[in-house]
Amino acid sequence: MKTRMLPIDQLFSRFPRLVRDLSQKLGKDLELVIQGGETELDRMIIEELSDPLIHLIRNSADHGIESAEVRAENDKPSKGRITLTSFHEENHVVIRYSDDGKGIDGEKIKASALGKGIISEEQAARLTTQEAVHLIFEPGFSTASSVSEVSGRGVGMDIVRSQIGRLNGIIDIDTEVGVGTTFTIRLPLTLAIIKGLLVKVSGRVLILPMYNVAEIVRISPEDIQMIQGQQAILNHGRIVPFHRLCDRLNYPRTDRKSKTIPLVIVRSVDKIAAYSIDEIIGNQEVVIKTLGTYLGAMNHLSGATILGNGKVALILDASYLVSL
């Protein structure tokens, strides 16, 4: 574990030069402030994080931070500031990326998404301003009127989100028009060791990563509804698709003895789904072992582990489960 961990400064130290180059290319006065470079993270995650952070920096420099003239009109310092902060929070590393630019206008995002056919007028009417801001993560979305050398070359924010999702991370946005934008990336400490929820399905022990488990609930069979031809449940006022995990994995169904159904609500990036299981065993830290190439494409599995009793338990891939 220790040999895999490296200070995130190994990644952050690449960015001052990038910001200097962008400052010269765009004719904007930019500064980069780095905090928490000593925070340690799995070296594989550090390597994979480089492209998403470079994309965020390019976007900020090109579209987010205004020119010195516009900043002066808005009583802002002429120098635009980009801040990169990292810190530990429980079993996660949080990377906070912020700029003091013009922020993201939710109404403009909504209008652009509507014009591109990404959302319908009915969906647009239901979206709040904060929800509209998250549309920048949709594939094919861009508000740039022209392609520049710095950004807008077909690599959108959807790529950033999918790369973070591949690392079992979550990205969120907090923005205020005229004040700036903050992206918060939450990542697991390591890809080698995870905290897993052990569940039993058709007599087999399976593991779900705990950072993908939004909630564990019990429901009665009457709580399962048919909505637009699909089974779903209501969870805190939100419609969540319902599936039987044994059916998804082509395992035989087992007779249920209790009147209630245990459910695990699985979350990956911004998607969510509820899966019924036979029994919840508990959670424990497990070491992920790769399955190897000879098994072929096993999209529903992210690996396996050896339990304390010597048996092998398969680790399910949450992003695959919520995409079904």
Side-chain angles (χ1 to χ4, degrees):
M1 176 78 168
K2 276 286 180 193
T3 57
R4 293 178 69 94
M5 305 300 268
L6 291 174
I8 204 167
D9 196 46
Q10 296 221 355
L11 172 64
F12 286 0
S13 60
R14 304 175 198 172
F15 299 139
R17 180 171 179 180
L18 173 67
V19 171
R20 278 199 306 275
D21 290 348
L22 289 170
S23 182
Q24 289 173 355
K25 193 173 279 186
L26 298 166
K28 293 179 181 177
D29 198 358
L30 304 173
E31 71 167 331
L32 175 66
V33 178
I34 293 173
Q35 297 165 341
E38 70 283 353
T39 306
E40 289 193 331
L41 194 55
D42 190 313
R43 69 169 183 268
M44 279 178 65
I45 298 179
I46 287 176
E47 287 163 15
E48 294 288 331
L49 262 180
S50 180
D51 286 349
L53 287 177
I54 286 171
H55 187 73
L56 289 178
I57 291 170
R58 286 176 176 274
N59 256 10
S60 277
D62 202 11
H63 306 305
I65 294 173
E66 316 93 325
S67 63
E69 299 78 26
V70 174
R71 291 177 70 84
E73 287 170 19
N74 295 324
D75 295 327
K76 284 184 173 181
S78 60
K79 185 178 279 190
R81 175 177 284 198
I82 294 169
T83 308
L84 257 178
T85 310
S86 69
F87 54 90
H88 285 125
E89 193 175 83
E90 296 174 356
N91 277 340
H92 292 80
V93 168
V94 177
I95 298 169
R96 198 158 278 155
Y97 173 90
S98 58
D99 67 55
D100 64 348
K102 61 187 176 186
I104 301 170
D105 190 332
E107 293 305 313
K108 278 187 184 173
I109 297 284
K110 202 188 288 188
S112 179
L114 199 56
K116 288 182 166 65
I118 292 170
I119 56 170
S120 64
E121 289 193 20
E122 187 187 337
Q123 288 172 310
R126 286 202 306 265
L127 284 177
T128 64
T129 307
Q130 187 58 33
E131 287 169 338
V133 167
H134 283 76
L135 288 171
I136 67 169
F137 290 124
E138 292 301 315
F141 183 85
S142 175
T143 52
S145 51
S146 62
V147 172
S148 72
E149 274 186 63
V150 173
S151 60
R153 294 162 300 173
V155 181
M157 291 297 289
D158 62 308
I159 304 295
V160 172
R161 184 176 66 172
S162 66
Q163 284 180 311
I164 299 293
R166 266 208 313 273
L167 298 170
N168 296 317
I170 296 166
I171 184 167
D172 200 17
I173 316 172
D174 185 29
T175 186
E176 192 177 334
V177 177
V179 177
T181 303
T182 299
F183 290 91
T184 303
I185 300 168
R186 203 173 297 273
L187 295 156
L189 264 178
T190 175
L191 295 177
I193 300 170
I194 62 161
K195 187 173 267 190
L197 178 71
L198 276 67
V199 299
K200 194 169 269 190
V201 179
S202 305
R204 298 165 172 86
V205 175
L206 300 168
I207 296 173
L208 279 160
M210 277 302 288
Y211 41 72
N212 292 120
V213 176
E215 201 174 341
I216 301 166
V217 293
R218 283 186 175 272
I219 62 164
S220 62
E222 295 78 41
D223 293 329
I224 303 166
Q225 304 172 28
M226 288 298 288
I227 299 172
Q228 293 181 346
Q230 250 195 325
Q231 287 189 318
I233 61 160
L234 272 176
N235 179 252
H236 304 301
R238 180 178 180 178
I239 297 168
V240 178
F242 168 83
H243 310 282
R244 286 178 174 80
L245 192 52
C246 58
D247 292 351
R248 284 293 184 217
L249 301 174
N250 293 319
Y251 292 166
R253 288 193 186 185
T254 51
D255 294 330
R256 193 163 34 84
K257 290 169 185 160
S258 66
K259 292 179 181 176
T260 57
I261 304 169
L263 277 191
V264 178
I265 297 178
V266 183
R267 175 190 62 205
S268 178
V269 192
D270 63 339
K271 291 182 177 176
I272 198 164
Y275 279 91
S276 70
I277 51 161
D278 297 338
E279 185 189 334
I280 290 164
I281 300 169
N283 62 57
Q284 69 179 60
E285 286 196 339
V286 297
V287 177
I288 299 179
K289 304 283 184 185
T290 55
L291 293 171
T293 53
Y294 59 87
L295 286 174
M298 306 285 280
N299 295 331
H300 63 296
L301 300 175
S302 59
T305 193
I306 299 167
L307 300 173
N309 59 9
K311 291 188 176 178
V312 173
L314 298 172
I315 301 167
L316 298 172
D317 188 323
S319 59
Y320 175 80
L321 292 177
V322 297
S323 66
L324 292 169

